[in-house]
Amino acid sequence: MYAWGGDQVDQAVAGCVAALRPAVDRDWRAVNAAGLEWSVHQTAVHVADDLIAYAANLAGRAQDAYVPFELTLDEGTDNAGLLHVIETTGALLAAAVRTAPREVRAFHPYPFRSANREGFAAMGIAEVLAHTHDIAGGLGLEYEPPSELPEFVLTRIFPHVQPGPDHWRTFLWATGRGELPGRARLTEWRWNNNLALPADRLTLQGITPAAARDLVAGGDGGFEWIEGGPFEGTREASGFMLKAYEGGVHRPEFGVFALVRREDGRAIGGMGFHGVPDEEGRVEIGYDLAEPARGNGYATEALRALADWALARDDVHVLFAAIDHENAASQRVVARAGFTRATVEEEKSHGELETDLRLYVLKD
């Protein structure tokens, strides 16, 4: 079953508390966490603060800013009490993740100003793993989480990071905390929640590497599909995206999107890019719909939304769509979205094209 993260939040917090409990009699204010200017005590409070802030935003459906409150410990709270606070705030985040509806998105400032329940779980786990590592380092304690936890984080909110054979070491590198052979050490880093683009009746939801892997394996990718979905093109596109991710060349904003109906939260198809824009700002786009969703204008609506978003960027100037010359329905879709038949020169610039395909183009 596809994991949304509630159990993983619980597991990460339990591992944090178990690792730090042997040092509760130490002075956590007198020593800094490894690699940070914060004391161990400040870092532990920061973990709890992030967990409750994420729980509050998700549960409270915050849309424009964090819920306006701040975590404050009672005077005299000792280290054991602080660990209890971490346990409690972690439980609240896990509960928020488990109870939030699938389609809920709430405020987080970067990179696209929102996250779903899976994203909030991954961010909470990332904070716990990274800062437990920092605290343990400052206190001279051993700590390494089960590999499935950093893997959960990497495949949800680090889609731009090429995976490695050791998920924990890759996570430490991705958060500026370690070395990886063949990769320069990071001095700046940021995670990347999936992009969601609104259309009139649909939301285009960016497919994460975790979702793509599940789709390729025959799963639902965490989406509730209408009958007949996902169609084979969405699974195939997810496979190409997964290869790009594993090769370290995936840019999530130019990946694959699930088309989700607003009225019932059910996915009806997929749409996305065949890669990143080339040096001239050209990028190819493709799509498919489950058969019961066809003939309702959904593909045109989604294509317009994705094209508008892409062409508003500085790095995209031309969109291409290659369509079978016998597929009149798809030709009507691109025409309604503003695409026109490519010229001979444009087809030549696109490269070799299969004989049964026709190229359509939309420019900024």
Side-chain angles (χ1 to χ4, degrees):
M1 181 179 293
Y2 190 80
W4 285 104
D7 291 347
Q8 288 73 19
V9 171
D10 283 338
Q11 186 180 6
V13 170
C16 164
V17 171
L20 302 184
R21 196 178 297 282
V24 292
D25 293 333
R26 301 268 300 276
D27 184 354
W28 286 12
R29 299 177 187 272
V31 59
N32 278 5
L36 302 181
E37 295 180 356
W38 294 340
S39 71
V40 164
H41 183 271
Q42 288 174 305
T43 307
V45 172
H46 172 78
V47 171
D49 197 32
D50 278 341
L51 291 171
I52 192 62
Y54 294 158
N57 270 28
L58 182 58
R61 313 293 193 261
Q63 294 300 306
D64 300 313
Y66 282 106
V67 178
F69 73 96
E70 185 175 355
L71 176 70
T72 302
L73 301 182
D74 287 347
E75 187 174 350
T77 300
D78 60 11
N79 295 334
L82 178 50
L83 289 182
H84 190 197
V85 173
I86 291 175
E87 287 179 308
T88 304
T89 54
L92 290 171
L93 176 57
V97 170
R98 291 188 180 106
T99 57
R102 184 192 307 263
E103 298 309 309
V104 164
R105 296 187 74 89
F107 173 80
H108 188 273
Y110 57 77
F112 304 118
R113 298 189 66 78
S114 74
N116 62 9
R117 61 185 183 181
E118 189 175 1
F120 276 104
M123 290 187 292
I125 296 166
E127 293 286 355
V128 171
L129 299 187
H131 291 311
T132 304
H133 166 269
D134 302 336
I135 294 170
L139 294 172
L141 301 172
E142 295 294 326
Y143 172 71
E144 181 169 338
S147 64
E148 60 265 25
L149 292 179
E151 182 183 20
F152 181 94
V153 173
L154 290 167
T155 55
R156 270 75 176 180
I157 59 173
F158 287 89
H160 52 292
V161 171
Q162 183 177 15
D166 186 319
H167 302 306
W168 177 232
R169 302 297 179 274
T170 302
F171 172 82
L172 292 177
W173 175 84
T175 58
R177 288 170 166 80
E179 305 281 353
L180 275 184
R183 305 193 199 185
R185 182 155 185 159
L186 297 181
T187 57
E188 295 182 357
W189 62 274
R190 181 166 286 185
W191 56 53
N192 197 318
N193 279 291
N194 70 323
L195 173 63
L197 298 173
D200 290 340
R201 296 172 295 165
L202 304 170
T203 302
L204 284 68
Q205 299 186 18
I207 292 176
T208 65
R213 183 178 296 164
D214 190 63
L215 286 165
V216 170
D220 59 16
F223 300 96
E224 182 182 357
W225 292 86
I226 64 170
E227 183 180 356
F231 206 61
E232 60 186 39
T234 298
R235 295 196 190 277
E236 183 179 2
S238 295
F240 290 133
M241 191 197 102
L242 193 59
K243 288 181 181 178
Y245 167 67
E246 292 170 346
V249 296
H250 175 52
R251 284 174 58 187
E253 64 270 35
F254 289 105
V256 184
F257 296 80
L259 310 182
V260 180
R261 285 194 307 219
R262 291 177 181 270
E263 65 180 29
D264 58 6
R266 302 184 75 187
I268 62 171
M271 181 174 290
F273 302 96
H274 289 207
V276 300
D278 64 18
E279 60 277 4
E280 296 182 19
R282 301 177 301 184
V283 62
E284 188 172 346
I285 198 167
Y287 52 89
D288 73 0
L289 292 183
E291 290 189 13
R294 296 174 187 174
N296 296 290
Y298 289 129
T300 299
E301 177 182 323
L303 185 56
R304 284 172 177 161
L306 193 56
D308 288 347
W309 173 85
L311 292 174
R313 297 174 57 94
D314 293 335
D315 54 354
V316 177
H317 302 295
V318 182
L319 294 177
F320 289 101
I323 301 173
D324 191 300
H325 75 280
E326 294 184 351
N327 191 343
S330 192
Q331 291 170 26
R332 289 193 293 271
V333 166
V334 295
R336 288 193 294 266
F339 286 69
T340 58
R341 179 70 187 275
T343 65
V344 173
E345 290 75 16
E346 287 169 337
E347 288 193 344
K348 288 181 178 178
S349 69
H350 182 74
E352 187 174 349
L353 195 67
E354 295 181 25
T355 56
D356 59 343
L357 296 179
R358 299 292 181 267
L359 202 66
Y360 291 80
V361 61
L362 179 64
K363 300 179 182 180
D364 62 4

